[in-house]
Amino acid sequence: KDDSRFAFVSRVASDRQEASIRHRLHQVEFASRTISTVDESDGSFADLYWSPDGRRLGFLKQPSQAAASIRVLEPTGAISDLAVSSTIRRFAGFDAQARKLAYIAVQPMNRPVESPWWALLLMPDPSSRDSVWIANADLTNPGREVFSGMRVTFPLWSPTEDRLSLWLTFMPH
């Protein structure tokens, strides 16, 4: 909010192997004109959100061979990890008071598709259902599921209220 710093992601190719690409998450401090590397991965980083008080940076880390995880850069420089058992699709950031965070997880299909043909116009998608989770910003537990059953896109916390808005889309399951 105070424009004293920002974060960005860069992509770096290894000198030895052209196929080996690394991604780095950086933080820029305007006052000291310094750039520091926060984290590095062979996968990617996405959904970067500063907490409303500007003290913490939350982001989604997607390693190339593992499930995505929500990470938070603490004011001390340490990186905390939210331990969840489901596959995370999106990180929606922090609420207006920086006490909660939200994320979107893939809801596993509870029954196999029995036939390649359905009576619906659209073909079934086994990863078409999401669940919305709200957790404490201190990352002490994975939180609680507050919605499930449809594809969830464009999650966004209100900047002033304790309200999360999102788009819901029906997709055959």
Side-chain angles (χ1 to χ4, degrees):
K1 280 185 171 179
D2 64 1
D3 294 329
S4 64
R5 59 189 168 154
F6 71 93
F8 69 96
V9 177
S10 68
R11 185 177 158 193
V12 180
S14 173
D15 293 337
R16 294 185 207 123
Q17 299 175 358
E18 290 181 17
S20 176
I21 294 179
R22 306 272 305 161
H23 291 86
R24 292 182 183 151
L25 175 61
H26 303 279
Q27 176 178 280
V28 176
E29 299 279 343
F30 282 117
S32 62
R33 295 180 182 240
T34 58
I35 299 174
S36 59
T37 301
V38 173
D39 201 357
E40 190 170 332
S41 175
D42 59 343
S44 61
F45 297 98
D47 300 338
L48 280 63
Y49 288 99
W50 287 101
S51 62
D53 59 7
R55 300 186 60 210
R56 304 166 79 203
L57 173 67
F59 56 94
L60 193 63
K61 183 176 182 177
Q62 175 64 58
S64 62
Q65 301 296 324
S69 62
I70 294 174
R71 301 270 174 109
V72 175
L73 174 64
E74 303 292 345
T76 62
I79 297 177
S80 302
D81 194 6
L82 179 65
V84 298
S85 59
S86 54
T87 303
I88 300 172
R89 191 184 306 272
R90 297 287 314 263
F91 174 53
F94 300 89
D95 72 332
Q97 290 77 35
R99 292 189 303 235
K100 296 184 266 186
L101 57 83
Y103 62 94
I104 311 303
V106 175
Q107 185 180 12
M109 197 164 117
N110 56 4
R111 64 173 180 75
V113 176
E114 298 162 7
S115 169
W117 302 104
W118 273 43
L120 297 171
L121 177 64
L122 304 171
M123 297 302 293
D125 179 359
S127 65
S128 64
R129 302 288 192 259
D130 293 329
S131 56
V132 179
W133 290 75
I134 305 290
N136 291 333
D138 62 7
L139 308 180
T140 53
N141 60 50
R144 64 182 168 80
E145 184 180 54
V146 295
F147 177 82
S148 65
M150 296 184 91
R151 173 61 55 95
V152 178
T153 53
F154 307 112
L156 182 67
W157 281 104
S158 166
T160 57
E161 300 176 43
D162 189 19
R163 183 173 297 166
L164 180 69
S165 64
L166 39 94
W167 286 20
L168 304 173
T169 306
F170 170 77
M171 296 184 72
H173 181 51

